[in-house]
Amino acid sequence: MYIKFLLLIIFQFYLFAQTPQTVKIGVLAKRGNEVALNKWQETAKYLESQIKDYNFEILPLSFEKIDLAIRKNEINFLITNPVFYIQLEHKYNISRIATLLNKYDDKNFVSYYGGVIFTKSSSNINTIKDLKNRSFAAVDSNSFGGWIMANKLLHDMGIKPLKFFSKIEYLGTHDRVVKAVLNGEITAGTVRSDTLERMAKEKKINLNDLFILHKIESSNFPFSISTSLYPEWPISKLPQTSNKLAKEVALKLMYMPSTSKAAISAGIGGWTIPANYSLVNKTLQTLKIEPYKHTFKEYIYEFIKEYLFFISFIVITFIFVIFLIIYVLKLNISLKSSKEKLANINEDLEKKVQERTSNMENFLEKERYLRVIMSTISDINRYLITYKKLNELLVKSCQRLIKIEEYSMSFILLEEDFYKDKWFCLSKKEYAKLEDFIKNEFISKQGLASNFQEKKIMKLLMIFKLMI
C-alpha cells in the first residue's frame, strides 16, 4: 500500500519535470501584430528545437503595451528597438544578450540601421527645408527608426518640428506612413531603413513613386537612408529570467544560420554579440527623451533660453509700465497736494479779501457815519447860534436829526440845574407831534416859556442808536 502511494508521487514529480516551461518572447510589432507573428514565429520554433524542456511563444506588442507587459511579468525576453531598450534598461534593469544582424544579401549582413525621410516623386519637393509648413507623418513618438532618428537630424539642422511642419501625425506602423504619403494624405514621412525595400519586395509599393530626402550614399549600407546609423535591435532578458536560460538563448541565436528558416522568415542574417548603444544614449540625451527627460527646472531653463528675447522684452516693458504707473501716481499725488495747497491759499486769500473788504466797508461806513455826525453837529451848532428860543431850537434840531435815515430814534439832553437828568425822545412817527410835545412837556408844564431865553444852555448832546 505505502509502496504504491510512493510510486504514484514519484511518477507525478516525473511528469511535472517533463512538462515544458513556457517562455514568452515579446516583440515590438512595428508593422502590426500579424506581420510580427509571421516574422518571428519561426525563431520561437528554432529555439524550441535547440533548447529542451521549454516552449517558446511570440507575443506581439504595440508601443503602448510593452511597458504593461513587463510590469505584469508577461514576458521573459524582449525584442525591441534601441530606444525602448535604453528606457527599459533604466526603468526595469533589463539587459541585452544579443544584437540583430539585418540581411543585406545572402552573404552580407549589417548590425546598424537608420531612418529614411521620403515624399512622393511627383511632389516637386527636393530638400527637407521644402517641407516647411507641410504635413509630416511618423510611426510613433517613441519609434526610433520611425521618428527619433529623423527628429535628431532635424535638430542638427536647426529645425524645430512642431513649428516647422504644419502638423505631425503618428500613424502607428511603418506601412501606414508609407501608404499615407503615397495616397497624398501626408506630404512626407519617415520610417526605418529597409522598410521601403521590404515593401517593394512584397510588391506593396513601387520605389520609383517615392523620392528620398537628404539621401546619404554609403557603400557599406544597402538601404536608403537619410540619418546617421545606429545599432540594430537587441534582444534582452528581463530580471526574472534566469541567467542560465538567457545564456542558452543568446548562444543559440548567435549560432543561428543565416540560411535557417527562422532567419529567412525574420528577414535577418542572424544575431551577433551585444552592440554598443552609447550613440543611442547620446541621441536621447540631446533630444531630452526618456530616460533623459527635462526636469521642471530644465524645462524652465530651456524655455528661457529659447525665448530669451521675448521674455526680456516683456520684462523690460513690464518694468517700464510699473515705473510709469509709479511716476503717474506720484505726479497725481503731487498735483493733488499742490491743488490742496492752492485751495488753502485761495481760501486764505478769500478770507483776507473778505476781511479787508469788511474792514474797508466798516471804515467807509464809519467815515460816512462820522461825516454825517460832523455835518449834523455843524448844523446843530449853527442852530445854536441862529435860534435863541428853545422851542425853535428843538424843532429845527429834531427836523435835522430826523433826516438821517440810519437812525430810528434821537435823544436830546438839556443840562441845567432844573433839567438835570431829563431825557426827551423823538421818533420818526412822532415828528408830526413835535411842536405839541415841546409845548406840553417843556413850556406849559415846566413854565419855561417866559424865561427860556434867559437860561444858559450848558450843553446839547445827541445820542444816536438803533441803526437801520
Side-chain angles (χ1 to χ4, degrees):
M1 180 73 177
Y2 290 106
I3 296 174
K4 289 182 179 180
F5 181 73
L6 182 61
L7 289 174
L8 180 61
I9 293 175
I10 293 173
F11 179 71
Q12 288 178 340
F13 273 110
Y14 174 78
L15 289 177
F16 179 78
Q18 295 299 314
T19 302
Q21 183 178 347
T22 300
V23 177
K24 292 186 178 181
I25 302 175
V27 177
L28 176 60
K30 62 186 178 69
R31 296 180 63 189
N33 291 352
E34 185 179 351
V35 174
L37 280 172
N38 293 334
K39 182 175 181 178
W40 298 105
Q41 193 63 53
E42 291 299 327
T43 299
K45 292 179 180 180
Y46 167 79
L47 291 173
E48 278 185 13
S49 66
Q50 298 295 315
I51 304 174
K52 295 180 179 182
D53 302 329
Y54 290 98
N55 286 332
F56 288 86
E57 291 183 9
I58 298 298
L59 183 63
L61 298 169
S62 63
F63 287 96
E64 298 80 12
K65 292 183 178 179
I66 288 179
D67 193 90
L68 181 62
I70 294 176
R71 283 190 282 113
K72 289 185 175 182
N73 294 324
E74 292 179 352
I75 55 176
N76 303 97
F77 295 92
L78 177 65
I79 301 174
T80 187
N81 70 33
V83 170
F84 266 34
Y85 164 69
I86 295 295
Q87 293 172 346
L88 297 172
E89 181 186 39
H90 280 75
K91 193 172 183 179
Y92 297 110
N93 198 32
I94 70 172
S95 54
R96 61 190 183 274
I97 60 173
T99 294
L100 181 148
L101 285 173
N102 206 353
K103 190 175 182 179
Y104 174 35
D105 55 33
D106 292 338
K107 295 182 179 180
N108 298 290
F109 314 102
V110 289
S111 59
Y112 290 85
Y113 75 115
V116 58
I117 301 173
F118 59 95
T119 185
K120 288 180 70 174
S121 300
S122 58
S123 66
N124 295 322
I125 293 174
N126 299 311
T127 66
I128 289 177
K129 292 189 177 181
D130 294 336
L131 294 175
K132 186 174 177 61
N133 297 324
R134 303 293 187 93
S135 59
F136 194 83
V139 179
D140 189 274
S141 61
N142 292 313
S143 175
F144 195 41
W147 169 242
I148 294 174
M149 292 182 185
N151 191 14
K152 175 62 165 57
L153 174 64
L154 296 173
H155 177 274
D156 294 342
M157 295 175 68
I159 294 174
K160 298 182 184 301
L162 293 177
K163 294 181 177 179
F164 184 75
F165 299 116
S166 62
K167 67 175 180 177
I168 300 176
E169 290 192 16
Y170 300 106
L171 302 181
T173 67
H174 294 255
D175 291 29
R176 288 177 187 169
V177 173
V178 177
K179 290 176 181 178
V181 173
L182 286 173
N183 292 336
E185 300 170 8
I186 299 292
T187 304
T190 183
V191 293
R192 67 161 281 159
S193 59
D194 84 6
T195 300
L196 301 180
E197 289 80 4
R198 290 185 187 279
M199 291 182 72
K201 188 176 181 180
E202 294 167 358
K203 306 297 182 180
K204 292 182 178 180
I205 64 170
N206 185 344
L207 290 178
N208 293 326
D209 294 334
L210 298 172
F211 178 76
I212 308 302
L213 298 172
H214 196 266
K215 187 174 183 178
I216 298 175
E217 301 291 345
S218 175
S219 58
N220 297 322
F221 195 76
F223 306 110
S224 297
I225 190 173
S226 303
T227 70
S228 300
L229 292 173
Y230 297 84
E232 268 287 0
W233 288 28
I235 180 171
S236 308
K237 68 173 283 292
L238 273 70
Q240 73 270 18
T241 304
S242 68
N243 291 330
K244 180 182 178 182
L245 177 60
K247 182 178 179 181
E248 286 189 71
V249 170
L251 287 173
K252 298 305 178 182
L253 288 176
M254 281 186 259
Y255 280 106
M256 176 191 291
S258 60
T259 57
S260 67
K261 195 173 181 179
I264 294 172
S265 178
I268 63 176
W271 296 84
T272 186
I273 60 173
N276 184 351
Y277 289 83
S278 60
L279 183 60
V280 180
N281 266 299
K282 185 177 179 181
T283 297
L284 298 184
Q285 287 177 334
T286 300
L287 298 178
K288 303 301 179 183
I289 298 173
E290 288 283 1
Y292 306 106
K293 265 191 175 180
H294 278 313
T295 62
F296 179 74
K297 289 183 178 179
E298 288 174 332
Y299 272 118
I300 295 299
Y301 173 78
E302 288 294 329
F303 179 81
I304 293 174
K305 183 179 178 181
E306 184 172 356
Y307 298 101
L308 181 61
F309 173 78
F310 298 102
I311 293 173
S312 300
F313 175 77
I314 292 171
V315 169
I316 292 172
T317 303
F318 179 75
I319 293 173
F320 173 77
V321 170
I322 292 297
F323 275 107
L324 184 62
I325 292 173
I326 293 173
Y327 172 75
V328 171
L329 288 174
K330 285 186 176 181
L331 186 62
N332 286 336
I333 293 171
S334 177
L335 288 173
K336 186 177 180 181
S337 177
S338 300
K339 187 177 180 180
E340 290 176 352
K341 289 180 181 179
L342 184 60
N344 292 333
I345 292 173
N346 289 336
E347 187 177 352
D348 291 340
L349 285 175
E350 286 179 1
K351 287 181 179 179
K352 289 181 180 180
V353 169
Q354 289 177 355
E355 288 177 1
R356 287 208 166 200
T357 302
S358 177
N359 292 337
M360 185 66 70
E361 289 176 351
N362 291 336
F363 176 77
L364 292 175
E365 182 64 26
K366 287 179 181 180
E367 182 184 15
R368 190 185 65 78
Y369 177 74
L370 289 175
R371 287 179 183 278
V372 171
I373 291 176
M374 294 305 295
S375 175
T376 304
I377 291 173
S378 176
D379 290 340
I380 297 300
N381 287 333
R382 183 167 51 81
Y383 295 159
L384 289 173
I385 296 172
T386 304
Y387 301 102
K388 300 299 183 179
K389 292 181 179 181
L390 178 60
N391 60 340
E392 292 179 354
L393 176 62
L394 290 174
V395 170
K396 291 295 182 181
S397 297
C398 287
Q399 288 176 343
R400 178 64 183 86
L401 292 173
I402 205 66
K403 292 179 181 179
I404 304 174
E405 296 180 355
E406 285 80 356
Y407 304 101
S408 61
M409 188 175 290
S410 60
F411 298 89
I412 301 173
L413 176 65
L414 297 176
E415 284 193 2
E416 278 194 8
D417 293 338
F418 186 79
Y419 304 108
K420 190 173 183 181
D421 295 328
K422 279 286 183 180
W423 290 84
F424 303 97
C425 177
L426 180 66
S427 69
K428 289 182 178 180
K429 294 180 180 180
E430 295 173 333
Y431 180 73
K433 301 179 180 179
L434 179 60
E435 292 181 357
D436 293 338
F437 174 78
I438 294 174
K439 289 178 182 179
N440 294 332
E441 204 54 31
F442 289 91
I443 299 175
S444 302
K445 292 183 179 180
Q446 302 297 332
L448 297 177
S450 61
N451 59 1
F452 181 78
Q453 292 181 359
E454 298 177 0
K455 296 292 183 180
K456 183 179 180 182
I457 298 174
M458 300 296 296
K459 192 175 184 182
L460 178 63
L461 296 176
M462 293 173 291
I463 300 175
F464 309 99
K465 56 190 294 187
L466 198 61
M467 292 183 62
I468 298 175

